[in-house]
Each structure stands twice: as structure tokens, then as C-alpha cells.
Amino acid sequence: MSSPVSLGIDLGTSELKAILMDASGAVLAHTGVRLSVSRRHSGWSEQAPQDWWQACLQALDQLRTHEAFSRVACIGLSGQMHGAVLLGDDNRVLYPAILWDDSRAVAQAQQLGPGFAEVTGSLPMAGLTAPKLLWLQQHEPEVFKAIACVLSPKDYLRLRLSGERISDMSDAAGTLWLDVAHRQWFTPMVRATGLAPAQMPQLVEGGAVAGRVTAAGLGLSPAVVIAGGGGDNPVAAVGIGAINAGDGFITLGTSAAIVAITDHAAGNPASAVHSFCHALPNRWYTMGAMLAGASCLRWVTRLTGMPDEQTLLDQVQAQLPVGQPVPLDTPLFLPYLAGERTPHNDPLLRGGFMSLGHDCTPAMLGYAVMEGVGFGLLDALRAVQSAGASVGACALVGGGARSEYWAQLLANILQREIFTLQGSELSACIGAAKLGFLAIGEGAHLLEAGMPVKARYWPDLAQQPVLQARYRKFQGLLTAAKPESSGRGIPNAVQLSADLLWARACSRKRWVSQHMFAGRRHRGQARSHILSSLLWALRSLN
């Protein structure tokens, strides 16, 4: 009999990835299909579930050319967490999927309040699923009335593959509707959002059977088993072998997080620290989450007019070598482009630069962005430790792990050994494939297997005085990041960057001082000029 192959699918925000993996853990083939996000209104973030399915079909078509595709015996699923997929009685999608970084439900999160946080593992936050349903009830009542079931994003792929409405414990924990300690739906929170338990999907563990392939035309046998799977972070943990209490890792992708594996539910809701179910039974994880990670680097690359991120990174390394302390007056960056979770729990926080000067270069901005994300992770690390979780040496996974400069900078900031792994960009796919094997009674030996270490980075003690001084300055800038409604801050990330950079580039224009630093009415009149000049201004720094 030919050896079985597991198909691992990871539905990310910006890309759907898929791999074929054999029972020894070897990746035989992999592919990816890019995805886009719709932002119809400020603070909104949506995708069409049908686009996920089309991306899945494209990925399967690409993998089908490999001989191992005919040996696929199981499928494991991983995906972005906290999204809301709304289904009617006929499994028709009723509304665009509301994603994890959508902030429309701020008021609804506050309305739900902290009363159930010790049970659900987290404070209500606008990015989690439950507040979004309360928003829909209040703003889209006809859609809300038609809801038959709410799924997480990767579970929509399961629905299309098998016709089953099933989720797993780890993804369910991210909805705020789960009793994370007892791993079952928590009816009081479900009802608090106007729903009933019957509108929740069936729950299984990540390595349990959760359907079989029924979709036609995929080149897959109806005997192919689909595992429960899990959310992207816990499944990535399975991929890299972080499955035991004390294991920890950092994800640096579109978002960022510090994750510590525990043998019990252990959160700190007051510091916006999550305690969620792992993708394996009898395991949990404590997480400090940032809403913007490596996406900040993509943002500044685009604004500075660099052709790609590597070009900007090369300039950073040339002008600000990682082995030398940076000047104290190097610009600082607040990484709150999409708000923040840990420890601030404020989706309306906004980011930007500070301490810009006439001599500022794109490399300085690039450094400031990487350092700012690092300082945000330091905030998250301290919050995670406040929950009693132990965090030692950390694996670094995600797209940001490709930068040796960033890895060393994180080691310096977090004062911990950081190590990167070969193939870590596929960690969620690999974890999903492992769960697929568990669903057919194989692959238990793969769980303890990690990934080969690519490089190790140790803290440079000589950097500490400067980094600590800069971190104190970073902390002092939080007030400026508060939303305008608080009377203390600015309305969005581009506003701060636009105001400062436009002033730098257009300092010869007399009306800058007359308008940009004048009252709110004049700032409103000048804002369109500021924003339209931003890209030109940044490029002029080069």
C-alpha cells in the first residue's frame, strides 16, 4: 500500500497556502494564492468567503500536478482567527466576512463588558467575533435575523469541502463564546449577543475527524478525512513542535504575537492577555497580541517608495548596523496602525513617527518601524508574564523571521534568545497537515518533532542602555496615539505621519505653521493637502 499524504491548508489574511506532507514530516510540495482585503469604511476589514474558496481551488489545482496528490488521505485546516462568516439556512453567505482587525464593534465590546472574561479567556474586544454579532444585530437587523450559523474562516473551507458545519476548540476560543477551561460553548455569552447555542457549529478537537470530502471535481477521494484543525497561531505551534507547557514562540506576520503554551487556562484579562485553547487536547496557550506586525514594514516600504522590503532593509543595515547602538535621536514609531490589543485593548489607537528631522532618511524610518514593533512585543511580553506564563527562548516564525536584522533586534529588545527555523513560513500548513494525520490515527510521532534551527540570536548587552532609554520614550508617546474623541490624540496613523512628514518636506511653505498647528478647523482644511503630499514628502527624504 502506498504511504498516505496529508494536505495542509492555511487560510491567512493575505494568502492561502497549502502543502503536501508525507508521514515522515517531509514537505513534498507547496503553493500559495494571494488574497486581498476590502476596507469599505474606516476601521472596517472584510473578505468574501467565496474568494477563499476560489483560492483553495487554485491551490489544489496547482498541487494536483504532483504525483503525491493522488495519495492524499487526510486534510488539516488552519486559518485566521476571530472572523465572522454568517450563513443562512441554505449555507448561503449572508454578509462579507468581518475579519480579526475590524474595529467597527468597539461600542458593542464595551457593552458586553468584562463580566465573563475569566470564563471566555479574554476581555471583549472589537476584533473578536462575539461583539461583531452584536453590531450586526444593531446595525444589520435583517441580516442578523437570517443567520443560521456563524463559522470561523477556515471552517467555511470545511463547509465547502464536506458540507459540515464544524469548528474546533482553538478557533472557537477566539470567538469569545467558549468556556475555555471546559472547552464547550458558554451559553450566557452566546445569548448576550442575541444568538442561541443552536446557531453555533459542532465542536471537535483539532486532531479529531470533522468531516469527509464530498465536493466534486477536486481530484480527491470521498474517503479523505478532514481534521478539526485550528486557528493559525495554535496550529503554527503544532507545526514547530510547541506543544508542551513552557514552550514559547513569537509570530511576526501581518499581525504579531507572543505565545506561551500552558497546561491550564491562564490569562490576565485586565492586561488584555488572552488565554485560549490549544489545537491539541488538555493544552492551552497564553498570548499577547499585536494587531500590526510585519505589515508595518510593508506600510513604510510603500510610503517611502522603495521597490520592496528587502531594499529598505538593506538600507537600514547599511546606515544603522545592528551591532551598533542607534543615535538616541533616531525617529521613534508607534506600531498601532490597526489599533492594539495587548496590553492596551484599544482598536482606536493610531500610530505614527516622532522625532523626525531634516536629516531623516528612509532607512531611519525603516529602523524605527522594526524597533517600534519590537517595543510593542516587549509590552506584550510583560503582560503575558503578568499572567504567570513562563517565556524563555523563543522561536520566531512568520514573514518577519526572514530578516536576520529584525531577529537580532528583537533579541536585543526582549532580552531573550531568539531562534529562527527552516521552513517556518509554512509552520501553520505543517501543523495542519500533522492534525490531518492524527485524524486518521497516524502521525503522533510528528507532534514532538520541531523544525531544524536556522539561526540563533542572543541579546547584545552593549545595546541595552540606548534601547532602554528609547523604550521609555516610546512608552511616553502613548497619549499621542489616543483617538481624537479622547481629546488628546489624532484620528489615524496617516494623520500623525502626514502632519510631521509634510512639515519636514514643505517647511519652506509659510502656511504650514499657519495651518497645521492651528486649531481643529484649519487642520481639517489642510488635511487633504497633507495627505496628498505625504507620498511625495516621504520620497523626498531619499
Side-chain angles (χ1 to χ4, degrees), residues 163-207:
E164 299 284 356
R165 297 174 178 173
I166 299 176
S167 191
D168 78 290
M169 303 299 176
S170 67
D171 234 350
T175 67
L176 209 67
W177 287 317
L178 195 76
D179 178 336
V180 296
H182 297 98
R183 304 170 89 94
Q184 62 188 20
W185 293 121
F186 183 55
T187 299
M189 181 57 89
V190 173
R191 295 199 182 281
T193 55
L195 298 173
Q199 292 168 288
M200 299 291 104
Q202 175 189 344
L203 291 177
V204 299
E205 293 288 354

mmCIF file of all heavy atoms in Angstrom, residues 163-207:
data_model
loop_
_atom_site.group_PDB
_atom_site.id
_atom_site.type_symbol
_atom_site.label_atom_id
_atom_site.label_comp_id
_atom_site.label_asym_id
_atom_site.label_seq_id
_atom_site.Cartn_x
_atom_site.Cartn_y
_atom_site.Cartn_z
ATOM 1 N N GLY A 163 -19.524 19.916 3.417
ATOM 2 C CA GLY A 163 -20.917 20.196 3.758
ATOM 3 C C GLY A 163 -21.186 20.239 5.246
ATOM 4 O O GLY A 163 -22.345 20.403 5.661
ATOM 5 N N GLU A 164 -20.139 20.151 6.079
ATOM 6 C CA GLU A 164 -20.312 20.092 7.538
ATOM 7 C C GLU A 164 -20.056 21.451 8.181
ATOM 8 O O GLU A 164 -19.124 22.172 7.821
ATOM 9 C CB GLU A 164 -19.334 19.075 8.144
ATOM 10 C CG GLU A 164 -19.524 17.652 7.640
ATOM 11 C CD GLU A 164 -20.726 16.962 8.257
ATOM 12 O OE1 GLU A 164 -21.385 17.556 9.144
ATOM 13 O OE2 GLU A 164 -21.001 15.813 7.871
ATOM 14 N N ARG A 165 -20.918 21.785 9.159
ATOM 15 C CA ARG A 165 -20.701 22.976 9.984
ATOM 16 C C ARG A 165 -20.027 22.547 11.282
ATOM 17 O O ARG A 165 -20.679 22.217 12.276
ATOM 18 C CB ARG A 165 -22.028 23.652 10.294
ATOM 19 C CG ARG A 165 -22.801 24.186 9.093
ATOM 20 C CD ARG A 165 -24.156 24.692 9.573
ATOM 21 N NE ARG A 165 -24.964 25.268 8.494
ATOM 22 C CZ ARG A 165 -26.227 25.654 8.639
ATOM 23 N NH1 ARG A 165 -26.818 25.507 9.833
ATOM 24 N NH2 ARG A 165 -26.894 26.171 7.630
ATOM 25 N N ILE A 166 -18.725 22.536 11.291
ATOM 26 C CA ILE A 166 -17.943 22.064 12.431
ATOM 27 C C ILE A 166 -16.794 23.032 12.664
ATOM 28 O O ILE A 166 -16.203 23.557 11.720
ATOM 29 C CB ILE A 166 -17.385 20.642 12.179
ATOM 30 C CG1 ILE A 166 -18.530 19.644 11.972
ATOM 31 C CG2 ILE A 166 -16.495 20.194 13.335
ATOM 32 C CD1 ILE A 166 -18.056 18.240 11.611
ATOM 33 N N SER A 167 -16.471 23.253 13.932
ATOM 34 C CA SER A 167 -15.287 24.034 14.285
ATOM 35 C C SER A 167 -14.480 23.265 15.323
ATOM 36 O O SER A 167 -14.866 22.169 15.746
ATOM 37 C CB SER A 167 -15.674 25.415 14.821
ATOM 38 O OG SER A 167 -14.543 26.254 14.927
ATOM 39 N N ASP A 168 -13.357 23.836 15.709
ATOM 40 C CA ASP A 168 -12.504 23.182 16.709
ATOM 41 C C ASP A 168 -12.372 24.080 17.929
ATOM 42 O O ASP A 168 -12.795 25.241 17.926
ATOM 43 C CB ASP A 168 -11.118 22.920 16.115
ATOM 44 C CG ASP A 168 -10.288 24.185 16.085
ATOM 45 O OD1 ASP A 168 -10.616 25.084 15.278
ATOM 46 O OD2 ASP A 168 -9.354 24.308 16.895
ATOM 47 N N MET A 169 -11.755 23.559 18.980
ATOM 48 C CA MET A 169 -11.671 24.280 20.250
ATOM 49 C C MET A 169 -10.841 25.553 20.155
ATOM 50 O O MET A 169 -11.184 26.577 20.757
ATOM 51 C CB MET A 169 -11.079 23.368 21.331
ATOM 52 C CG MET A 169 -11.833 22.074 21.545
ATOM 53 S SD MET A 169 -13.550 22.364 22.071
ATOM 54 C CE MET A 169 -14.153 20.666 22.095
ATOM 55 N N SER A 170 -9.744 25.513 19.406
ATOM 56 C CA SER A 170 -8.862 26.679 19.387
ATOM 57 C C SER A 170 -9.501 27.846 18.645
ATOM 58 O O SER A 170 -9.426 28.994 19.095
ATOM 59 C CB SER A 170 -7.508 26.314 18.766
ATOM 60 O OG SER A 170 -7.626 26.013 17.383
ATOM 61 N N ASP A 171 -10.120 27.594 17.503
ATOM 62 C CA ASP A 171 -10.796 28.668 16.778
ATOM 63 C C ASP A 171 -12.023 29.148 17.560
ATOM 64 O O ASP A 171 -12.315 30.345 17.599
ATOM 65 C CB ASP A 171 -11.227 28.174 15.389
ATOM 66 C CG ASP A 171 -10.706 29.065 14.277
ATOM 67 O OD1 ASP A 171 -10.181 30.156 14.573
ATOM 68 O OD2 ASP A 171 -10.817 28.677 13.103
ATOM 69 N N ALA A 172 -12.734 28.213 18.183
ATOM 70 C CA ALA A 172 -13.911 28.595 18.968
ATOM 71 C C ALA A 172 -13.524 29.489 20.140
ATOM 72 O O ALA A 172 -14.271 30.402 20.514
ATOM 73 C CB ALA A 172 -14.635 27.349 19.468
ATOM 74 N N ALA A 173 -12.344 29.256 20.716
ATOM 75 C CA ALA A 173 -11.900 30.090 21.835
ATOM 76 C C ALA A 173 -11.748 31.543 21.408
ATOM 77 O O ALA A 173 -11.978 32.457 22.202
ATOM 78 C CB ALA A 173 -10.576 29.562 22.384
ATOM 79 N N GLY A 174 -11.391 31.775 20.164
ATOM 80 C CA GLY A 174 -11.207 33.133 19.674
ATOM 81 C C GLY A 174 -12.490 33.872 19.381
ATOM 82 O O GLY A 174 -12.455 35.045 19.015
ATOM 83 N N THR A 175 -13.630 33.213 19.524
ATOM 84 C CA THR A 175 -14.909 33.878 19.270
ATOM 85 C C THR A 175 -15.429 34.638 20.478
ATOM 86 O O THR A 175 -16.274 35.507 20.345
ATOM 87 C CB THR A 175 -15.989 32.860 18.871
ATOM 88 O OG1 THR A 175 -16.273 32.012 19.992
ATOM 89 C CG2 THR A 175 -15.555 32.026 17.668
ATOM 90 N N LEU A 176 -14.963 34.283 21.679
ATOM 91 C CA LEU A 176 -15.450 34.803 22.957
ATOM 92 C C LEU A 176 -16.719 34.090 23.407
ATOM 93 O O LEU A 176 -17.323 34.465 24.406
ATOM 94 C CB LEU A 176 -15.687 36.318 22.904
ATOM 95 C CG LEU A 176 -15.524 37.107 24.203
ATOM 96 C CD1 LEU A 176 -14.071 37.093 24.660
ATOM 97 C CD2 LEU A 176 -15.973 38.546 24.053
ATOM 98 N N TRP A 177 -17.122 33.057 22.700
ATOM 99 C CA TRP A 177 -18.317 32.306 23.070
ATOM 100 C C TRP A 177 -17.979 30.984 23.779
ATOM 101 O O TRP A 177 -18.869 30.224 24.112
ATOM 102 C CB TRP A 177 -19.151 31.975 21.830
ATOM 103 C CG TRP A 177 -19.874 33.138 21.233
ATOM 104 C CD1 TRP A 177 -20.568 34.111 21.895
ATOM 105 C CD2 TRP A 177 -19.987 33.448 19.840
ATOM 106 N NE1 TRP A 177 -21.106 35.000 21.005
ATOM 107 C CE2 TRP A 177 -20.768 34.623 19.740
ATOM 108 C CE3 TRP A 177 -19.518 32.851 18.666
ATOM 109 C CZ2 TRP A 177 -21.078 35.208 18.513
ATOM 110 C CZ3 TRP A 177 -19.827 33.431 17.456
ATOM 111 C CH2 TRP A 177 -20.602 34.603 17.381
ATOM 112 N N LEU A 178 -16.697 30.716 23.994
ATOM 113 C CA LEU A 178 -16.296 29.418 24.535
ATOM 114 C C LEU A 178 -15.908 29.529 26.002
ATOM 115 O O LEU A 178 -15.268 30.493 26.420
ATOM 116 C CB LEU A 178 -15.108 28.862 23.748
ATOM 117 C CG LEU A 178 -14.817 27.373 23.978
ATOM 118 C CD1 LEU A 178 -15.825 26.514 23.236
ATOM 119 C CD2 LEU A 178 -13.395 27.014 23.564
ATOM 120 N N ASP A 179 -16.310 28.550 26.780
ATOM 121 C CA ASP A 179 -15.767 28.342 28.124
ATOM 122 C C ASP A 179 -14.431 27.638 27.910
ATOM 123 O O ASP A 179 -14.385 26.430 27.641
ATOM 124 C CB ASP A 179 -16.731 27.480 28.944
ATOM 125 C CG ASP A 179 -16.224 27.178 30.346
ATOM 126 O OD1 ASP A 179 -14.999 27.222 30.574
ATOM 127 O OD2 ASP A 179 -17.060 26.869 31.211
ATOM 128 N N VAL A 180 -13.317 28.401 27.984
ATOM 129 C CA VAL A 180 -12.036 27.848 27.545
ATOM 130 C C VAL A 180 -11.523 26.754 28.474
ATOM 131 O O VAL A 180 -10.821 25.841 28.028
ATOM 132 C CB VAL A 180 -10.972 28.958 27.382
ATOM 133 C CG1 VAL A 180 -11.352 29.925 26.280
ATOM 134 C CG2 VAL A 180 -10.725 29.694 28.687
ATOM 135 N N ALA A 181 -11.839 26.818 29.751
ATOM 136 C CA ALA A 181 -11.364 25.788 30.672
ATOM 137 C C ALA A 181 -12.074 24.461 30.431
ATOM 138 O O ALA A 181 -11.464 23.392 30.476
ATOM 139 C CB ALA A 181 -11.555 26.237 32.120
ATOM 140 N N HIS A 182 -13.382 24.518 30.144
ATOM 141 C CA HIS A 182 -14.173 23.304 29.956
ATOM 142 C C HIS A 182 -14.358 22.938 28.489
ATOM 143 O O HIS A 182 -14.963 21.911 28.183
ATOM 144 C CB HIS A 182 -15.537 23.463 30.641
ATOM 145 C CG HIS A 182 -15.435 23.636 32.129
ATOM 146 N ND1 HIS A 182 -15.480 24.875 32.741
ATOM 147 C CD2 HIS A 182 -15.271 22.726 33.114
ATOM 148 C CE1 HIS A 182 -15.358 24.717 34.051
ATOM 149 N NE2 HIS A 182 -15.232 23.426 34.303
ATOM 150 N N ARG A 183 -13.879 23.797 27.586
ATOM 151 C CA ARG A 183 -13.855 23.514 26.146
ATOM 152 C C ARG A 183 -15.257 23.172 25.624
ATOM 153 O O ARG A 183 -15.481 22.154 24.987
ATOM 154 C CB ARG A 183 -12.834 22.414 25.827
ATOM 155 C CG ARG A 183 -11.430 22.759 26.317
ATOM 156 C CD ARG A 183 -10.464 21.592 26.222
ATOM 157 N NE ARG A 183 -9.788 21.517 24.942
ATOM 158 C CZ ARG A 183 -8.596 22.045 24.658
ATOM 159 N NH1 ARG A 183 -7.960 22.757 25.570
ATOM 160 N NH2 ARG A 183 -8.050 21.888 23.469
ATOM 161 N N GLN A 184 -16.187 24.076 25.909
ATOM 162 C CA GLN A 184 -17.551 23.931 25.426
ATOM 163 C C GLN A 184 -18.168 25.317 25.266
ATOM 164 O O GLN A 184 -17.710 26.290 25.876
ATOM 165 C CB GLN A 184 -18.389 23.091 26.394
ATOM 166 C CG GLN A 184 -18.525 23.706 27.786
ATOM 167 C CD GLN A 184 -19.198 22.773 28.774
ATOM 168 O OE1 GLN A 184 -19.258 21.568 28.578
ATOM 169 N NE2 GLN A 184 -19.716 23.347 29.866
ATOM 170 N N TRP A 185 -19.211 25.421 24.441
ATOM 171 C CA TRP A 185 -19.852 26.710 24.248
ATOM 172 C C TRP A 185 -20.389 27.231 25.575
ATOM 173 O O TRP A 185 -20.945 26.470 26.382
ATOM 174 C CB TRP A 185 -20.987 26.611 23.232
ATOM 175 C CG TRP A 185 -20.557 26.308 21.821
ATOM 176 C CD1 TRP A 185 -20.930 25.257 21.055
ATOM 177 C CD2 TRP A 185 -19.678 27.095 21.004
ATOM 178 N NE1 TRP A 185 -20.344 25.312 19.814
ATOM 179 C CE2 TRP A 185 -19.566 26.444 19.748
ATOM 180 C CE3 TRP A 185 -18.977 28.287 21.197
ATOM 181 C CZ2 TRP A 185 -18.779 26.936 18.719
ATOM 182 C CZ3 TRP A 185 -18.191 28.776 20.157
ATOM 183 C CH2 TRP A 185 -18.101 28.100 18.939
ATOM 184 N N PHE A 186 -20.241 28.522 25.795
ATOM 185 C CA PHE A 186 -20.681 29.168 27.033
ATOM 186 C C PHE A 186 -21.976 29.914 26.728
ATOM 187 O O PHE A 186 -21.978 31.007 26.165
ATOM 188 C CB PHE A 186 -19.594 30.131 27.522
ATOM 189 C CG PHE A 186 -19.900 30.801 28.825
ATOM 190 C CD1 PHE A 186 -20.208 30.058 29.953
ATOM 191 C CD2 PHE A 186 -19.868 32.184 28.928
ATOM 192 C CE1 PHE A 186 -20.485 30.682 31.165
ATOM 193 C CE2 PHE A 186 -20.140 32.822 30.126
ATOM 194 C CZ PHE A 186 -20.455 32.066 31.249
ATOM 195 N N THR A 187 -23.082 29.303 27.080
ATOM 196 C CA THR A 187 -24.399 29.797 26.685
ATOM 197 C C THR A 187 -24.675 31.239 27.108
ATOM 198 O O THR A 187 -25.243 32.010 26.318
ATOM 199 C CB THR A 187 -25.487 28.859 27.223
ATOM 200 O OG1 THR A 187 -25.293 27.557 26.655
ATOM 201 C CG2 THR A 187 -26.875 29.354 26.848
ATOM 202 N N PRO A 188 -24.292 31.676 28.322
ATOM 203 C CA PRO A 188 -24.584 33.070 28.685
ATOM 204 C C PRO A 188 -23.981 34.089 27.718
ATOM 205 O O PRO A 188 -24.632 35.099 27.406
ATOM 206 C CB PRO A 188 -23.995 33.195 30.095
ATOM 207 C CG PRO A 188 -24.081 31.809 30.653
ATOM 208 C CD PRO A 188 -23.776 30.917 29.494
ATOM 209 N N MET A 189 -22.765 33.853 27.233
ATOM 210 C CA MET A 189 -22.162 34.803 26.293
ATOM 211 C C MET A 189 -22.815 34.690 24.918
ATOM 212 O O MET A 189 -23.011 35.702 24.230
ATOM 213 C CB MET A 189 -20.660 34.584 26.186
ATOM 214 C CG MET A 189 -19.968 35.566 25.226
ATOM 215 S SD MET A 189 -20.222 37.319 25.649
ATOM 216 C CE MET A 189 -18.836 37.597 26.750
ATOM 217 N N VAL A 190 -23.156 33.478 24.508
ATOM 218 C CA VAL A 190 -23.852 33.316 23.232
ATOM 219 C C VAL A 190 -25.157 34.109 23.248
ATOM 220 O O VAL A 190 -25.471 34.865 22.312
ATOM 221 C CB VAL A 190 -24.125 31.823 22.943
ATOM 222 C CG1 VAL A 190 -24.996 31.665 21.698
ATOM 223 C CG2 VAL A 190 -22.809 31.056 22.765
ATOM 224 N N ARG A 191 -25.914 33.968 24.318
ATOM 225 C CA ARG A 191 -27.202 34.668 24.415
ATOM 226 C C ARG A 191 -27.017 36.184 24.572
ATOM 227 O O ARG A 191 -27.880 36.962 24.160
ATOM 228 C CB ARG A 191 -28.019 34.096 25.567
ATOM 229 C CG ARG A 191 -28.424 32.634 25.348
ATOM 230 C CD ARG A 191 -29.583 32.227 26.237
ATOM 231 N NE ARG A 191 -29.945 30.830 26.059
ATOM 232 C CZ ARG A 191 -30.668 30.354 25.052
ATOM 233 N NH1 ARG A 191 -31.094 31.193 24.105
ATOM 234 N NH2 ARG A 191 -30.946 29.067 24.968
ATOM 235 N N ALA A 192 -25.890 36.603 25.156
ATOM 236 C CA ALA A 192 -25.636 38.037 25.323
ATOM 237 C C ALA A 192 -25.489 38.742 23.984
ATOM 238 O O ALA A 192 -25.659 39.963 23.897
ATOM 239 C CB ALA A 192 -24.383 38.254 26.161
ATOM 240 N N THR A 193 -25.178 37.984 22.936
ATOM 241 C CA THR A 193 -25.060 38.571 21.599
ATOM 242 C C THR A 193 -26.291 38.292 20.747
ATOM 243 O O THR A 193 -26.249 38.454 19.517
ATOM 244 C CB THR A 193 -23.796 38.039 20.887
ATOM 245 O OG1 THR A 193 -23.821 36.613 20.856
ATOM 246 C CG2 THR A 193 -22.542 38.499 21.603
ATOM 247 N N GLY A 194 -27.373 37.874 21.372
ATOM 248 C CA GLY A 194 -28.632 37.686 20.662
ATOM 249 C C GLY A 194 -28.741 36.391 19.907
ATOM 250 O O GLY A 194 -29.680 36.206 19.118
ATOM 251 N N LEU A 195 -27.829 35.467 20.144
ATOM 252 C CA LEU A 195 -27.830 34.184 19.446
ATOM 253 C C LEU A 195 -28.233 33.055 20.391
ATOM 254 O O LEU A 195 -28.351 33.241 21.599
ATOM 255 C CB LEU A 195 -26.445 33.901 18.857
ATOM 256 C CG LEU A 195 -25.941 34.907 17.812
ATOM 257 C CD1 LEU A 195 -24.492 34.609 17.447
ATOM 258 C CD2 LEU A 195 -26.810 34.878 16.567
ATOM 259 N N ALA A 196 -28.408 31.885 19.807
ATOM 260 C CA ALA A 196 -28.739 30.680 20.572
ATOM 261 C C ALA A 196 -27.668 29.626 20.320
ATOM 262 O O ALA A 196 -27.007 29.630 19.276
ATOM 263 C CB ALA A 196 -30.107 30.144 20.154
ATOM 264 N N PRO A 197 -27.462 28.705 21.258
ATOM 265 C CA PRO A 197 -26.459 27.656 21.052
ATOM 266 C C PRO A 197 -26.665 26.880 19.759
ATOM 267 O O PRO A 197 -25.685 26.394 19.162
ATOM 268 C CB PRO A 197 -26.631 26.755 22.285
ATOM 269 C CG PRO A 197 -27.165 27.676 23.341
ATOM 270 C CD PRO A 197 -28.061 28.640 22.615
ATOM 271 N N ALA A 198 -27.898 26.758 19.281
ATOM 272 C CA ALA A 198 -28.156 26.022 18.045
ATOM 273 C C ALA A 198 -27.529 26.697 16.829
ATOM 274 O O ALA A 198 -27.369 26.057 15.773
ATOM 275 C CB ALA A 198 -29.662 25.877 17.830
ATOM 276 N N GLN A 199 -27.153 27.967 16.959
ATOM 277 C CA GLN A 199 -26.520 28.672 15.847
ATOM 278 C C GLN A 199 -25.003 28.550 15.865
ATOM 279 O O GLN A 199 -24.322 29.109 15.005
ATOM 280 C CB GLN A 199 -26.922 30.152 15.879
ATOM 281 C CG GLN A 199 -28.397 30.382 15.566
ATOM 282 C CD GLN A 199 -28.845 31.786 15.887
ATOM 283 O OE1 GLN A 199 -28.973 32.174 17.056
ATOM 284 N NE2 GLN A 199 -29.081 32.584 14.850
ATOM 285 N N MET A 200 -24.486 27.800 16.825
ATOM 286 C CA MET A 200 -23.051 27.538 16.905
ATOM 287 C C MET A 200 -22.733 26.222 16.202
ATOM 288 O O MET A 200 -23.541 25.283 16.231
ATOM 289 C CB MET A 200 -22.604 27.443 18.366
ATOM 290 C CG MET A 200 -22.822 28.701 19.193
ATOM 291 S SD MET A 200 -21.770 30.083 18.717
ATOM 292 C CE MET A 200 -22.953 31.116 17.819
ATOM 293 N N PRO A 201 -21.557 26.100 15.582
ATOM 294 C CA PRO A 201 -21.187 24.828 14.957
ATOM 295 C C PRO A 201 -20.840 23.767 15.998
ATOM 296 O O PRO A 201 -20.546 24.089 17.157
ATOM 297 C CB PRO A 201 -19.956 25.193 14.122
ATOM 298 C CG PRO A 201 -19.365 26.376 14.822
ATOM 299 C CD PRO A 201 -20.529 27.147 15.373
ATOM 300 N N GLN A 202 -20.863 22.529 15.569
ATOM 301 C CA GLN A 202 -20.404 21.430 16.418
ATOM 302 C C GLN A 202 -18.920 21.610 16.703
ATOM 303 O O GLN A 202 -18.172 22.123 15.861
ATOM 304 C CB GLN A 202 -20.643 20.101 15.693
ATOM 305 C CG GLN A 202 -20.112 18.873 16.416
ATOM 306 C CD GLN A 202 -20.198 17.627 15.543
ATOM 307 O OE1 GLN A 202 -20.908 17.615 14.542
ATOM 308 N NE2 GLN A 202 -19.468 16.579 15.907
ATOM 309 N N LEU A 203 -18.470 21.171 17.886
ATOM 310 C CA LEU A 203 -17.073 21.330 18.271
ATOM 311 C C LEU A 203 -16.351 19.993 18.350
ATOM 312 O O LEU A 203 -16.908 19.003 18.839
ATOM 313 C CB LEU A 203 -16.971 22.026 19.630
ATOM 314 C CG LEU A 203 -17.373 23.499 19.690
ATOM 315 C CD1 LEU A 203 -17.283 24.015 21.118
ATOM 316 C CD2 LEU A 203 -16.508 24.338 18.757
ATOM 317 N N VAL A 204 -15.100 19.977 17.861
ATOM 318 C CA VAL A 204 -14.232 18.809 17.987
ATOM 319 C C VAL A 204 -12.836 19.304 18.336
ATOM 320 O O VAL A 204 -12.528 20.492 18.224
ATOM 321 C CB VAL A 204 -14.178 17.985 16.677
ATOM 322 C CG1 VAL A 204 -15.552 17.462 16.298
ATOM 323 C CG2 VAL A 204 -13.570 18.814 15.541
ATOM 324 N N GLU A 205 -11.973 18.400 18.756
ATOM 325 C CA GLU A 205 -10.569 18.744 18.954
ATOM 326 C C GLU A 205 -9.857 18.804 17.593
ATOM 327 O O GLU A 205 -10.339 18.272 16.597
ATOM 328 C CB GLU A 205 -9.879 17.732 19.868
ATOM 329 C CG GLU A 205 -10.369 17.749 21.306
ATOM 330 C CD GLU A 205 -9.909 18.994 22.092
ATOM 331 O OE1 GLU A 205 -9.110 19.789 21.538
ATOM 332 O OE2 GLU A 205 -10.367 19.172 23.237
ATOM 333 N N GLY A 206 -8.712 19.448 17.577
ATOM 334 C CA GLY A 206 -8.022 19.708 16.318
ATOM 335 C C GLY A 206 -7.619 18.478 15.541
ATOM 336 O O GLY A 206 -7.558 18.503 14.300
ATOM 337 N N GLY A 207 -7.336 17.386 16.235
ATOM 338 C CA GLY A 207 -6.914 16.167 15.553
ATOM 339 C C GLY A 207 -8.016 15.147 15.392
ATOM 340 O O GLY A 207 -7.749 13.999 15.017
#
